[in-house]
Amino acid sequence: MLELHEELGEFIVKLKQTEVYREYQEQKNRISGQPELKQRVDDYRRRNYELQTRNYPENMYDEMERFQRESEHLRDIPIVHDFLAAELALCRMIQKVTATIVEAVSEDFD
């Protein structure tokens, strides 16, 4: 098990050396330099997460539509757009890694 943890540590180092991760860190640092804007982005991200994880059986579409309209001006700010795009790219990379691991071992759980 110790060997696996060591290899996992090496993998994490390699992940942090990717262009996707470096771009995310750069964009995170840029937006962190503007604390008020960063707070607005964090509020947007929190609300987006809540909308995606709550159950709105009757009005989910309306809620998402309203949220998109309300946040459009924020997402149009270049530094915000760049940060959110970098964050999304990092999340997708991590999801792909996770999906690859799950797919590789899922046949063992039949």
Side-chain angles (χ1 to χ4, degrees), residues 97-109:
V97 167
T98 303
T100 302
I101 293 168
V102 169
E103 183 179 321
V105 298
S106 66
E107 63 190 35
D108 296 333
F109 293 102

Side-chain angles (χ1 to χ4, degrees), residues 2 9 11-12 15 20 22 27-28 43 49 51 58 70 87 91 103:
L2 180 60
F11 176 76
I12 291 169
L15 185 136
V20 170
R22 287 193 310 260
Q27 296 305 325
K28 184 174 115 178
D43 291 343
Y49 174 78
L51 283 171
E58 294 179 18
E70 291 172 357
E87 181 181 58
C91 288
E103 183 179 321

Side-chain angles (χ1 to χ4, degrees), residues 21-35 37-38 79 82-84 86-87:
Y21 186 84
R22 287 193 310 260
E23 177 67 17
Y24 169 74
Q25 288 299 321
E26 180 180 328
Q27 296 305 325
K28 184 174 115 178
N29 290 336
R30 284 182 63 215
I31 202 159
S32 293
Q34 299 184 34
L37 185 58
K38 175 73 164 71
I79 192 172
D82 294 347
F83 170 74
L84 293 174
E87 181 181 58

Side-chain angles (χ1 to χ4, degrees), residues 83-96:
F83 170 74
L84 293 174
E87 181 181 58
L88 179 61
L90 178 61
C91 288
R92 286 186 175 157
M93 181 177 73
I94 292 170
Q95 287 172 339
K96 186 173 182 178

